[in-house]
Amino acid sequence: MIPEYLQERLVSFPPHALIGSIIRSSDGSFWYCCGSWTVNGVKDALPCILSYIPVDESMELAEQKSLELNGQKYLKVFGQSISSYRITYLPMVQDLVEKENLGKVSFLSTKYVQEIKDPHSFTPAYLDKIPKDGEALRNLCKLIEVGIDDIGITGSSLMFGQPVKRHELDFGIYGREKSRRAYEVLEKARISGVITNASDYHHLPFHYEGVVFDPQFGEMDGEVNPIDGARIEIIREISDLNVIIDRRKFFLQ
């Protein structure tokens, strides 16, 4: 049962629900929040990607990543193929989400949100407890010309609620112009060798000062996502598509 005061705070897009926020739903699942926007007339819901679900005895766990939190084991579904994600895992939470699906993004109804973990407020604790990452992140902020208050630490570290060293440091950069500028600086740093690629499959993860960083870019509080309120029609779905993205057009105008 969600307290009345919390229901009122969650309705109509809570301002602290940013891209990179971790959301815990009423069934115990965890979701990666994609910001505060909806499409196709969806109301009182947040765009999210299902990330971890509680494991029960009936689940097959062979060769699937899992982690334990407060004595409960969770299965990582975020990295599953989209077909497995949709066929196997989304049906487990179908009563919590709206019918609209965009790739792996579903719209989680705010009435089923029990907790929103904020990347901004988690950052100081992480920097204090993981000093090597903290020093590298502070230096990175100087490089990309953003303040430490402009970023937030997300990913499984935020999910734990306690600073935990993982194989990479997921962080968000907030503010459209700051994100645009940071992305441009990172691309120049990649070309010059100041940062180096950390993945054969994804463009954004990179090595810097001995730490693997995986950045996200999003709006700050008060900024509206350009596609908020849009009408989107999926004509057909395709696979095995290679896309070249012009970095100058990475961010919508």
Side-chain angles (χ1 to χ4, degrees):
M1 181 68 178
I2 301 177
E4 183 176 347
Y5 78 90
L6 185 56
Q7 291 180 350
E8 293 176 355
R9 182 159 58 90
L10 291 174
V11 170
S12 300
F13 311 130
H16 59 289
L18 303 167
I19 185 171
S21 293
I22 301 292
I23 293 179
R24 180 168 58 88
S25 56
S26 58
D27 70 335
S29 298
F30 285 89
W31 306 68
Y32 289 138
C33 185
C34 301
S36 294
W37 51 269
T38 59
V39 296
N40 295 355
V42 173
K43 300 293 185 182
D44 295 332
L46 291 167
C48 298
I49 299 175
L50 182 63
S51 54
Y52 291 90
I53 58 174
V55 173
D56 62 37
E57 296 179 355
S58 66
M59 292 182 180
E60 297 290 338
L61 299 180
E63 298 183 1
Q64 295 193 53
K65 292 183 179 180
S66 63
L67 55 79
E68 189 169 307
L69 178 63
N70 297 327
Q72 170 67 55
K73 182 173 286 188
Y74 291 85
L75 179 66
K76 182 179 181 180
V77 302
F78 176 76
Q80 299 288 329
S81 68
I82 191 166
S83 58
S84 177
Y85 180 88
R86 287 182 174 180
I87 294 172
T88 304
Y89 300 110
L90 274 187
M92 296 180 182
V93 295
Q94 62 182 352
D95 294 336
L96 280 64
V97 299
E98 300 292 333
K99 296 185 181 300
E100 294 291 344
N101 291 310
L102 304 176
K104 288 186 176 181
V105 176
S106 299
F107 292 94
L108 176 65
S109 174
T110 54
K111 66 183 178 181
Y112 297 118
V113 173
Q114 287 198 327
E115 182 181 12
I116 299 177
K117 299 191 175 189
D118 174 54
H120 283 305
S121 59
F122 180 66
T123 299
Y126 188 94
L127 298 182
D128 181 59
K129 295 295 184 180
I130 316 291
K132 179 182 176 181
D133 286 13
E135 181 180 3
L137 183 58
R138 291 182 188 278
N139 291 337
L140 180 64
C141 285
K142 294 177 183 177
L143 175 69
I144 61 179
E145 302 175 13
V146 300
I148 199 72
D149 292 337
D150 298 320
I151 62 98
I153 293 176
T154 179
S156 54
S157 293
L158 178 59
M159 175 183 163
F160 275 104
Q162 294 291 331
V164 177
K165 175 67 176 178
R166 307 290 289 176
H167 65 282
E168 64 184 20
L169 179 54
D170 299 289
F171 74 105
I173 302 171
Y174 299 103
R176 292 192 62 78
E177 289 305 317
K178 291 175 181 178
S179 291
R180 189 194 307 274
R181 174 59 181 161
Y183 184 82
E184 292 174 350
V185 173
L186 286 173
E187 288 305 286
K188 291 178 181 178
R190 196 187 305 272
I191 293 171
S192 66
V194 173
I195 67 173
T196 56
N197 292 340
S199 174
D200 294 331
Y201 308 101
H202 305 288
H203 176 66
L204 289 177
F206 60 86
H207 293 276
Y208 180 71
E209 294 192 355
V211 178
V212 176
F213 290 97
D214 193 358
Q216 301 177 32
F217 304 89
E219 288 76 30
M220 67 174 67
D221 288 346
E223 288 185 326
V224 178
N225 189 294
I227 69 171
D228 186 34
R231 297 294 305 178
I232 296 178
E233 178 183 0
I234 299 176
I235 299 175
R236 66 179 184 275
E237 296 186 358
I238 57 179
S239 59
D240 299 324
L241 176 68
N242 292 321
V243 178
I244 298 175
I245 299 177
D246 185 339
R247 66 178 181 84
R248 295 168 298 179
K249 300 177 181 178
F250 186 82
F251 294 97
L252 295 174
Q253 299 297 323

